[in-house]
Amino acid sequence: MKINQKLFFQLGIVILFFGLIGILINNLTINLIRTGLGINFSWLFKPASFALAEHPLPYSSSDSYAWALFIGWLNSLQVIVSSLLLATFLGILVGFARTGKNSLLGIISAGYITIIRQTPLLLQLMFWYFVGFLGLKDNVLIHIKDIFIISNQGIELSGFKLSSEFSALLLGLSIFTSAYIAEVIRGGILSVPRGQWEAYRSLGLSERKGLISIIIPQALPAIIPGLTSQYLNLAKNSTLAIAVGYSDIYAINDTIINQTGRAIECFLILLTSFLLLNLLISNSMEIINRIIINSRKYN
Amino acid sequence: MRRLVSGIVGLAALLAGCATTNQDNSSRLNLIKNRNELICGVSGKIPGFSFLKSDGSYQGLDVDICKAFAAAFIGDSEKIQYRPLTAAERFTAIKTGEIDLLSRNTTFTLSRDSSGGNGLTFAPVVFHDGQGLMVKKESKISSLKDLANKSICVGSGTTTEQNINDAFESASLPYTPIKYQDLNQVVAGYLQGRCSAMTSDRSQLAAARSGFKNPKEHIILDDVLSKEPLAPASDGQDQKLADAMRWVVFSLISAEEQGITKSNIYEKVELAKNNTQLKPLRRFLGIDGGLGEKIGLSNDFVVKVISSTGNYGEIYERHLGKNSEVPIPRGQNELYNKGGVHISPPFN
């Protein structure tokens, strides 16, 4: 009787849920037809007729909208992956500095985290771009024998060029996310019981060895989930690229919506591409997490 | 797998949530009258066209066109809710019904006007513009050719973006477009030296330059890259609203042709009432002919419009004239009989 009741309720909720979704989808279709916005993807293969400043693969304005979107997705991926690496690196540095014994480093990193976390990301991006890079005007900040140049045209490293838009976005996203990652790492390290420190010290292990083989493995399971959500945030925050003139997928979508009037389709594409990207990130992190948990079990 | 399914379900729910149950098939014009307020989409960032003043009011040519519509539709030019929109938002705002109409320096093009494109309908052109390029005087750049291989700051999601591409491509010149979402960022990028030139409609370049510290250090090149006829727009499926808008704009032009101004409108009404032989004037001012009713407005809509905003020439003088903050010579925007292109069909 009790099981039947439970089953009945669950079934009821499922029917209600899908019914609701059905009504909403039906409603959307009716309204789309009414406003003459019926979903149609054939425009994707027409020439885009706009140029892009940055394209990792060959692109010209006579290529299709679909190709332009793909280039935009690659541009997004480029900035997401590089910021992800840089943010993790910075986050680990700051996180350890914050938990370490050196009180000067501790104060500096605490200040860094406070300032970065308490100001909006959009503002920081604008700052890095308009004040940081473009603020250089015609003056060059660093110029080492044509090998490493920072100017208002971006960063140049022995012939390899990063535009000021990409550099500002990379810097802004990495620094913003690194402050959060530092806190996640600090939380993870502090979650390891105090006794573990005393334990490895009494075993005669060096500080470095103890940290690497005793503390970090125990802190990782607490760090990974927090890290995952920071990575997901970073991927989504990359759409703020539009504020600093970088041609990411969102900025290109913006142009295409204006040229074609296909807002619903463009947002569908945008939503799907971010959903896929973030599923990829969260699933890879899940795998890493599982490997760590399993390795602990058998040790 | 479970996560994928839940993601897709969530996506579907989100999308469906965007839909509204608005299935009212009657004209938006009735809705505006019943609401007793006009919701007008503007830019809000272009001096001379629509700009938010320090006292919180919107001012400019585009804003006065909104006022003319409100005066004609509901008899009060102040009952307007302004919605500042970006270039990318504006058409969706019309199609979803967030705004009643758009008066936001929008270029009239085939794609935008057609049911197979953006599905809008345009009212008559209120400002004839053309795309130009602005450069720093010290750069010694004097034509498009000098800009080969240079960076150009451009607003994204506008016809501007397409025109600059067409211009450089047809001249086989390579260039790098640096795209920003709004004009203020384009200006910042240009002034900070990210680009050698900025491009926009010439009126917007002039408006932007008026706010620079040293306007004289910047020149607008003689190259005109495009025709940019700027016009108000509304939903292409709403014929009734489009008709009303069309004739409100024509009434502004026609009033200028006939020398009817904000200050003499009531004299003209008296004149028309007392002289039955002044047939065209009587029709225009709604004493005879019942023209207003044919487009869903009151017969004296012209009187309401002119008494609140003045004629087209007066609106132009106020915001773009010699003594305004953004002086732009009238040029093409003169009446047809004074060397310009503005003309009104007859009010018959």
Side-chain angles (χ1 to χ4, degrees):
Chain A
M1 182 63 200
K2 236 184 181 168
I3 292 168
N4 275 344
Q5 221 169 17
K6 232 175 163 180
L7 204 71
F8 179 75
F9 267 117
Q10 284 184 352
L11 204 69
I13 286 169
V14 167
I15 290 172
L16 205 72
F17 181 70
F18 281 101
L20 201 67
I21 286 178
I23 291 170
L24 292 173
I25 289 176
N26 179 41
N27 202 347
L28 177 72
T29 352
I30 289 173
N31 278 292
L32 282 177
I33 293 166
R34 184 181 62 83
T35 52
L37 287 171
I39 290 184
N40 174 0
F41 282 98
S42 57
W43 53 271
L44 267 174
F45 305 100
K46 289 181 185 153
S49 66
F50 56 81
L52 292 174
E54 288 175 68
H55 42 87
L57 293 174
Y59 169 84
S60 83
S61 58
S62 42
D63 283 324
S64 66
Y65 283 120
W67 187 248
L69 279 170
F70 181 66
I71 297 284
W73 193 73
L74 286 183
N75 277 345
S76 291
L77 205 62
Q78 231 172 8
V79 82
I80 290 168
V81 171
S82 41
S83 322
L84 202 139
L85 295 175
L86 188 57
T88 312
F89 175 70
L90 284 176
I92 290 173
L93 281 190
V94 179
F96 276 100
R98 180 105 168 78
T99 40
K101 279 186 192 157
N102 189 324
S103 58
L104 180 66
L105 272 180
I107 290 169
I108 292 173
S109 52
Y112 173 88
I113 292 169
T114 312
I115 291 170
I116 300 297
R117 288 207 311 172
Q118 259 122 50
T119 46
L121 175 57
L122 186 61
L123 195 72
Q124 290 184 27
L125 285 175
M126 296 268 200
F127 174 82
W128 289 117
Y129 185 61
F130 287 110
V131 183
F133 279 96
L134 299 195
L136 294 171
K137 298 256 174 155
D138 300 325
N139 311 319
V140 173
L141 181 67
I142 301 176
H143 196 139
I144 310 168
K145 289 177 185 166
D146 285 340
I147 296 170
F148 187 67
I149 307 169
I150 297 181
S151 71
N152 70 348
Q153 301 299 315
I155 300 174
E156 195 175 338
L157 188 69
S158 59
F160 183 71
K161 264 180 147 177
L162 298 175
S163 69
S164 37
E165 288 78 31
F166 180 87
S167 314
L169 190 62
L170 171 68
L171 214 62
L173 282 177
S174 310
I175 287 177
F176 184 77
T177 314
S178 72
Y180 287 86
I181 290 180
E183 285 295 89
V184 168
I185 286 175
R186 184 170 77 104
I189 291 173
L190 292 183
S191 75
V192 180
R194 224 45 225 161
Q196 297 290 320
W197 261 269
E198 287 154 18
Y200 78 72
R201 277 171 198 149
S202 60
L203 281 171
L205 289 175
S206 72
E207 283 294 311
R208 220 179 78 191
K209 185 119 194 3
L211 210 59
I212 291 169
S213 51
I214 308 289
I215 305 300
I216 292 175
Q218 294 188 68
L220 273 180
I223 290 174
I224 300 287
L227 212 53
T228 310
S229 67
Q230 292 314 322
Y231 287 170
L232 296 179
N233 280 341
L234 189 148
K236 288 178 282 182
N237 287 341
S238 74
T239 52
L240 289 172
I242 199 163
V244 295
Y246 181 67
S247 307
D248 78 327
I249 190 167
Y250 185 81
I252 290 175
N253 237 287
D254 203 55
T255 299
I256 296 179
I257 289 174
N258 204 268
Q259 287 191 4
T260 61
R262 296 269 162 209
I264 306 265
E265 291 89 333
C266 282
F267 275 107
L268 264 175
I269 292 171
L270 201 61
L271 279 170
T272 323
S273 48
F274 270 95
L275 188 65
L276 288 176
L277 186 71
N278 275 351
L279 281 173
L280 192 75
I281 294 176
S282 63
N283 280 322
S284 337
M285 290 304 283
E286 180 91 32
I287 292 168
I288 294 174
N289 197 23
R290 210 165 294 156
I291 291 171
I292 288 164
I293 289 171
N294 286 344
S295 70
R296 273 184 77 205
K297 267 183 204 156
Y298 299 109
N299 266 349
Chain B
M1 189 59 207
R2 197 198 230 170
R3 206 176 295 190
L4 183 71
V5 170
S6 58
I8 289 166
V9 169
L11 187 69
L14 188 71
L15 265 178
C18 300
T20 54
T21 45
N22 184 0
Q23 290 178 13
D24 183 9
N25 286 324
S26 66
S27 170
R28 192 92 189 170
L29 190 58
N30 302 333
L31 188 70
I32 297 166
K33 286 179 186 166
N34 291 337
R35 194 198 297 129
N36 204 24
E37 188 176 51
L38 176 71
I39 305 176
C40 198
V42 294
S43 156
K45 287 180 180 167
I46 306 168
F49 289 83
S50 59
F51 195 68
L52 193 58
K53 290 276 162 179
S54 51
D55 63 359
S57 68
Y58 280 95
Q59 274 181 37
L61 184 127
D62 283 342
V63 170
D64 275 7
I65 300 293
C66 288
K67 288 183 179 170
F69 289 139
F73 299 169
I74 44 190
D76 187 341
S77 64
E78 294 306 315
K79 290 204 167 135
I80 306 177
Q81 215 185 95
Y82 295 100
R83 287 278 162 83
L85 298 167
T86 65
E89 289 166 344
R90 55 188 164 176
F91 302 133
T92 318
I94 292 185
K95 294 305 280 185
T96 55
E98 191 196 328
I99 56 170
D100 296 323
L101 55 91
L102 193 64
S103 178
R104 188 204 175 283
N105 54 291
T106 302
T107 308
F108 188 164
T109 68
L110 187 146
S111 306
R112 290 172 176 175
D113 191 48
S114 55
S115 55
N118 293 66
L120 308 178
T121 282
F122 281 86
V125 175
V126 296
F127 188 85
H128 286 276
D129 209 340
Q131 189 175 333
L133 287 155
M134 181 155 64
V135 297
K136 297 191 179 86
K137 223 176 208 169
E138 58 179 24
S139 70
K140 303 266 191 293
I141 292 167
S142 61
S143 73
L144 201 65
K145 273 183 195 140
D146 298 337
L147 284 164
N149 293 311
K150 297 262 165 60
S151 298
I152 294 173
C153 287
V154 51
S156 74
T158 57
T159 46
T160 317
E161 201 181 335
Q162 237 172 324
N163 292 333
I164 189 83
N165 193 57
D166 292 350
F168 276 89
E169 212 161 72
S170 61
S172 308
L173 297 170
Y175 77 108
T176 308
I178 306 293
K179 298 175 190 178
Y180 300 100
Q181 207 184 9
D182 81 56
L183 193 69
N184 290 337
Q185 290 173 330
V186 175
V187 170
Y190 166 70
L191 286 179
Q192 299 264 50
R194 177 67 183 96
C195 316
S196 306
M198 67 174 274
T199 182
S200 190
D201 292 351
R202 288 164 70 90
S203 62
Q204 292 192 29
L205 292 178
R209 188 170 59 175
S210 70
F212 290 179
K213 219 185 267 168
N214 296 309
K216 285 181 182 160
E217 288 174 10
H218 303 267
I219 51 169
I220 297 172
L221 298 184
D222 291 333
D223 300 71
V224 178
L225 309 182
S226 67
K227 284 184 284 190
E228 302 286 337
L230 309 180
S234 60
D235 188 345
Q237 292 186 335
D238 195 339
Q239 176 84 43
K240 208 173 159 191
L241 176 62
D243 281 347
M245 285 169 65
R246 179 173 307 122
W247 289 96
V248 170
V249 174
F250 281 141
S251 75
L252 295 169
I253 295 166
S254 188
E256 191 183 2
E257 289 172 0
Q258 299 175 55
I260 302 173
T261 63
K262 190 175 177 174
S263 52
N264 72 10
I265 176 78
Y266 292 111
E267 288 167 33
K268 294 279 182 184
V269 173
E270 283 309 307
L271 184 74
K273 275 184 182 158
N274 299 332
N275 295 283
T276 46
Q277 79 279 17
L278 295 172
K279 293 268 162 39
L281 187 64
R282 285 171 70 90
R283 275 199 300 274
F284 186 59
L285 298 177
I287 298 156
D288 288 340
L291 294 179
E293 276 170 19
K294 290 180 184 166
I295 51 171
L297 302 177
S298 64
N299 283 330
D300 64 343
F301 78 94
V302 174
V303 179
K304 290 178 187 165
V305 169
I306 304 302
S307 64
S308 48
T309 64
N311 64 36
Y312 178 77
E314 289 177 280
I315 295 176
Y316 193 99
E317 270 315 301
R318 200 154 48 229
H319 303 294
L320 305 168
K322 278 185 218 106
N323 301 321
S324 69
E325 283 170 41
V326 193
I328 300 173
R330 251 187 103 170
Q332 284 184 304
N333 290 296
E334 270 290 1
L335 293 180
Y336 72 103
N337 50 15
K338 290 181 186 164
V341 297
H342 286 298
I343 185 165
S344 166
F347 278 68
N348 280 353

